[in-house]
């Protein structure tokens, strides 16, 4: 579309057009905007000439990148892509927008542009807690995240997550199960590209009740680099970060790193020492992270103590009989088989099978492919 910007387009429209150029991440966009209006940044980006501020970020790739942008710009119509944003009901929060909370504008690495789906008012007025963790969570981790999300929302805390599979989705499912503050989801794809696709309905529910945020323009598919970049926004939004489960090299540890860089308190949920899904969280605890054993620990970190119901309430499940409690205690919190239990409890095979069946029916044990795991 050339290097002569259409003066009728808004700054947000030019920012949106810039983000449609290949490999245009937040640092490169911020470099382009140094000393330039968005319209001038577009003209500089598509001129085909290296931009000094961008060269300082990308080094020797500056000339090649300038050529890529100039070629790509021929197929980007700024007015058309901006019209698509408006038709989709997507909002844009640029730096300096009064609707944007200070924590996202004063950040060490602020997103120049944030797309919104839902009401940006959801970003102000409530304490916010990010609940993050592994996609490959256990039933234990999923239960803790769901119950924590519900408990926090129930006492007026807004739950933030990346809306991924596993812990993130469980935390928001819990938050949406009660009448609480607006939830906030921060995603790494375009707001028209739900990822993972199985969470499409959850995205819709979060957008309807609160707000979704992304720094990626419409149509952006998942890219590996966008997830750690997204995590810095989660950390910036959060007053406290809670890691429920994380593998030794889990992606949620990027959020922890970003949170610590921003002086946000980080809490970790203790997990079974034999569970790979708890290796990362247990290591955080060993390194001095505060433990999260219940919602009051989070409320204390927020400065709001004693307001939450007990996570894992047994209401509605009844109380196991004495014999069944022996089996429940033997089962512990890691998956076990009937043979494992038979070696640990003084019951006949028939008595053990009956006790396990009662505990499964009562919601105390979960059975998957012959393994039994205790439920909170």
């Amino acid at each position: 579309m050339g290097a002569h910007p259409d003066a009728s387009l808004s700054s947000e429209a030019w920012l949106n057009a810039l983000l449609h150029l290949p490999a245009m991440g937040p640092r490169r966009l911020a470099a382009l905007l140094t000393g330039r209006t968005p319209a001038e940044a577009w003209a500089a980006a598509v001129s085909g000439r290296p931009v000094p501020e961008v060269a300082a970020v990308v080094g020797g790739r500056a000339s090649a990148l300038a050529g890529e942008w100039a070629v790509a710009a021929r197929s980007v119509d700024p007015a058309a892509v901006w019209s698509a944003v408006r038709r989709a009901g997507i909002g844009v929060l640029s730096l300096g927008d009064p609707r944007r909370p200070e924590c996202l504008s004063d950040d060490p690495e602020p997103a120049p542009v944030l797309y919104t789906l839902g009401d940006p008012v959801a970003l102000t007025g409530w304490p916010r807690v990010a609940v993050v963790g592994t996609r490959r969570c256990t039933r234990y981790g999923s239960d803790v995240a769901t119950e924590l999300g519900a408990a926090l929302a129930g006492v007026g805390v807004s739950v933030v997550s990346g809306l991924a599979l596993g812990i993130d989705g469980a935390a928001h499912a819990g938050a949406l199960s009660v009448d609480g503050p607006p939830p906030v989801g921060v995603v790494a794809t375009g707001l028209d590209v739900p990822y993972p696709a199985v969470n499409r309905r959850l995205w819709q529910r979060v957008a309807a009740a609160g707000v979704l945020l992304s720094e990626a323009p419409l149509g952006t598919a998942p890219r590996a680099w966008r997830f750690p970049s997204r995590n810095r926004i989660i950390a910036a939004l959060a007053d406290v970060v809670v890691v429920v489960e994380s593998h030794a090299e889990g992606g949620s540890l990027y959020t922890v790193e970003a949170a610590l860089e921003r002086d946000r308190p980080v809490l970790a949920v203790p997990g079974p020492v034999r569970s790979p899904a708890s290796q990362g969280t247990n290591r955080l605890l060993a390194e001095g992270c505060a433990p999260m054993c219940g919602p009051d620990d989070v409320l204390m970190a927020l400065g709001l103590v004693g307001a939450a119901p007990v996570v894992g309430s047994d209401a509605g499940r009844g109380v196991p009989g004495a014999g069944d409690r022996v089996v429940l205690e033997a089962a512990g919190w890691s998956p076990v088989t009937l043979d494992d239990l038979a070696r640990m409890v003084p019951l006949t095979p028939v008595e053990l099978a009956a006790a396990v069946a009662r505990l499964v029916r009562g919601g105390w044990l979960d059975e998957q492919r012959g393994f039994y795991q205790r439920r909170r």
Side-chain angles (χ1 to χ4, degrees):
M1 296 304 296
H4 303 288
D6 179 349
S8 68
L9 290 179
S10 66
S11 293
E12 288 80 9
W14 290 115
L15 290 169
N16 178 61
L18 284 162
L19 285 168
H20 279 275
L21 297 179
M24 182 64 80
R27 291 184 181 179
R28 294 172 186 181
L29 181 55
L32 261 176
L33 291 170
T34 301
R36 300 179 181 87
T37 67
E40 291 167 346
W42 171 263
V46 305
S47 68
R49 297 184 297 274
V51 177
E53 293 86 356
V54 175
V57 174
V58 303
R61 281 211 65 228
S63 294
L65 188 61
E68 292 172 17
W69 284 346
V71 171
R74 297 170 192 160
S75 61
V76 177
D77 181 339
V81 292
W82 181 241
S83 179
V85 170
R86 308 311 294 166
R87 288 196 308 271
I90 303 297
V92 173
L93 298 178
S94 56
L95 282 171
D97 191 310
R99 298 171 300 166
R100 183 166 164 153
E102 282 187 19
C103 62
L104 293 180
S105 295
D106 298 340
D107 190 70
E109 194 179 346
V113 178
L114 283 169
Y115 296 91
T116 67
L117 184 60
D119 191 347
V121 170
L123 298 173
T124 57
W126 294 272
R128 291 182 297 267
V129 170
V131 181
V132 300
T134 180
R135 292 168 172 80
R136 296 171 290 144
C137 65
T138 66
R139 182 59 181 262
Y140 161 73
S142 177
D143 285 350
V144 169
T146 302
E147 293 161 1
L148 180 61
L152 292 175
V155 294
V157 176
S158 178
V159 174
V160 182
S161 89
L163 283 179
L165 287 174
I167 297 302
D168 290 26
H172 261 135
L176 289 164
S177 71
V178 301
D179 184 15
V184 179
V186 186
V187 301
T189 59
L191 291 175
D192 59 337
V193 185
Y195 180 81
V198 70
N199 275 1
R200 177 183 295 273
R201 176 58 181 154
L202 186 59
W203 278 45
Q204 294 169 342
R205 293 178 65 201
V206 170
V211 67
L212 293 181
L213 298 178
S214 176
E215 59 183 336
L218 293 183
T220 301
R223 295 289 183 271
W225 67 268
R226 288 192 177 275
F227 291 92
S229 182
R230 176 273 312 270
N231 290 353
R232 85 188 192 284
I233 300 173
I234 294 175
L237 272 172
D239 297 307
V240 173
V241 172
V242 179
V243 189
V244 175
E245 279 188 323
S246 172
H247 289 75
E249 303 298 330
S252 55
L253 299 180
Y254 287 109
T255 311
V256 170
E257 182 179 348
L260 295 176
E261 289 172 354
R262 290 159 175 79
D263 294 323
R264 304 297 196 267
V266 177
L267 281 66
V269 174
V273 295
R274 294 178 179 175
S275 171
S278 290
Q279 286 182 354
T281 42
N282 287 342
R283 189 177 70 212
L284 288 174
L285 293 167
E287 292 172 352
C289 218
M292 200 301 290
C293 299
D296 277 350
D297 294 327
V298 185
L299 298 178
M300 183 172 293
L302 286 169
L304 307 168
V305 183
V310 177
V311 165
S313 170
D314 297 336
R317 289 202 290 185
V319 178
D324 292 355
R325 284 201 299 273
V326 170
V327 175
L328 189 61
E329 291 300 322
W333 296 101
S334 297
V336 293
T337 65
L338 280 176
D339 287 341
D340 294 329
L341 290 171
R343 289 190 289 270
M344 293 186 281
V345 298
L347 297 176
T348 68
V350 172
E351 290 171 334
L352 176 61
V356 167
R358 286 191 296 270
L359 290 168
V360 169
R361 286 196 305 272
W364 293 96
L365 287 179
D366 183 57
E367 189 274 331
Q368 291 185 359
R369 297 186 298 278
F371 285 87
Y372 297 88
Q373 187 166 345
R374 190 168 176 175
R375 299 178 61 179
R376 287 188 67 86

